């Protein structure tokens, strides 16, 4: 994990985020677990890069953990969060404070449950209970997956929203084509809110779906 808590900017110099890739090369769901990036400074910035291949087990934030700072114009993809007798989620992004994610693409991240104990949800993004001023805005959240074990309950494939006050905000996002796969698919594939607080405004949520494992065909 590359972690910084100073007033720094990581900025890709290419024309698109795909020109500069920050990749975890040691992640393996059977042996090693490493988050790719963590940012924890109100003046910190991550801009115009691709963040990929992060992996956590019984933790949150596979590719990226944002406590403070701004992440913008990035592609966040291919993250994995594994729940094995513990809690896990946010394979793409965990927002754990007043961090801001904006103008990003969050895609092809997977939360996988390997046991029937523990809680796991938020295939793309989880906005944690302590994210008092966290924000996700102007982003595309697509093709993320929540895959439960055989008899565990399902959870959100797109965004799991657990913000703790009215300053927590999800706005101007497109949340499409995210899928929950499980034996007991009973939560939301798009946005799942488990909070009394926070705001959702001007989002497009469509084409997300839940399915049983035996309904998946190649």
């Amino acid at each position: 994990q590359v972690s910084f808590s100073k007033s720094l900017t990581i900025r890709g110099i290419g024309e698109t985020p795909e020109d500069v890739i920050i990749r975890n090369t040691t992640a393996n769901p059977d042996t090693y677990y490493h988050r790719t990036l963590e940012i924890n400074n109100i003046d910190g910035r991550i801009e115009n890069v691709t963040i990929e291949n992060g992996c956590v087990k019984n933790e949150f934030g596979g590719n990226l953990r944002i406590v403070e700072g701004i992440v913008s114009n990035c592609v966040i993809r291919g993250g994995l969060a594994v729940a094995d007798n513990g809690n896990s989620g946010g394979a793409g992004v965990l927002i754990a404070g007043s961090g801001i994610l904006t103008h990003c693409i969050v895609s092809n991240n997977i939360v996988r449950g390997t046991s029937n104990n523990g809680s796991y949800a938020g295939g793309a993004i989880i906005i944690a209970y302590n994210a008092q001023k966290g924000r996700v805005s102007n982003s595309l959240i697509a093709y993320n997956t929540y895959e439960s074990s055989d008899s565990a309950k399902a959870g959100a494939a797109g965004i799991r929203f657990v913000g703790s006050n009215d300053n927590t905000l999800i706005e101007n996002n497109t949340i499409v084509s995210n899928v929950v796969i499980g034996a007991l698919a009973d939560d939301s594939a798009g946005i799942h809110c488990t909070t009394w607080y926070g705001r959702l405004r001007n989002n497009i949520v469509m084409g997300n779906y839940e399915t049983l494992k035996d309904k998946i065909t190649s």
Side-chain angles (χ1 to χ4, degrees):
Q1 170 179 304
V2 177
S3 177
F4 67 98
S5 56
K6 295 183 179 181
S7 178
L8 299 174
T9 297
I10 296 175
R11 180 183 296 121
I13 60 173
E15 293 184 3
T16 69
E18 286 86 353
D19 291 332
V20 178
I21 297 175
I22 303 173
R23 175 187 296 131
N24 175 21
T25 60
T26 61
N28 184 309
D30 297 317
T31 52
Y32 300 107
Y33 296 90
H34 296 286
R35 180 183 294 118
T36 306
L37 276 173
E38 179 181 70
I39 176 173
N40 186 9
N41 186 286
I42 195 169
D43 295 316
R45 300 288 187 273
I46 301 174
E47 302 171 351
N48 199 42
V49 298
T50 293
I51 304 166
E52 66 180 21
N53 205 41
C55 180
V56 293
K57 179 179 179 181
N58 297 333
E59 292 186 38
F60 297 87
N63 267 321
L64 177 65
R65 183 175 187 260
I66 310 172
V67 182
E68 304 278 356
I70 298 175
V71 177
S72 65
N73 194 38
C74 291
V75 174
I76 302 163
R77 66 190 183 194
L80 176 65
V82 176
D84 186 6
N85 290 303
N87 299 327
S88 192
V93 182
L94 164 65
I95 297 178
S98 58
I100 295 172
L101 183 81
T102 184
H103 294 86
C104 290
I105 297 173
V106 185
S107 68
N108 298 100
N109 300 282
I110 299 172
V111 172
R112 180 172 296 139
T114 61
S115 71
N116 297 332
N117 297 317
S119 173
Y120 30 94
I125 301 169
I126 186 164
I127 302 176
Y129 68 92
N130 55 349
Q132 296 184 357
K133 296 180 181 179
R135 188 172 85 227
V136 177
S137 65
N138 302 98
S139 293
L140 172 64
I141 295 97
Y143 301 108
N144 301 282
T145 302
Y146 170 94
E147 183 177 320
S148 76
S149 58
D150 288 340
S151 59
K153 288 186 177 181
I159 299 178
R160 181 83 170 207
F161 190 25
V162 200
S164 60
N165 67 29
D166 286 338
N167 293 318
T168 311
L169 179 63
I170 299 175
E171 68 172 349
N172 301 329
N173 301 288
T174 299
I175 303 165
V176 297
S177 300
N178 302 286
V179 58
V180 169
I181 303 170
L184 296 171
D186 63 353
D187 283 347
S188 172
I191 300 176
H192 183 67
C193 299
T194 56
T195 175
W196 291 101
Y197 306 101
R199 292 174 290 163
L200 292 93
R201 183 169 60 202
N202 197 40
N203 298 286
I204 296 172
V205 185
M206 62 180 295
N208 306 284
Y209 66 99
E210 302 176 9
T211 185
L212 302 181
K213 283 187 175 182
D214 60 5
K215 300 298 183 182
I216 296 292
T217 57
S218 59

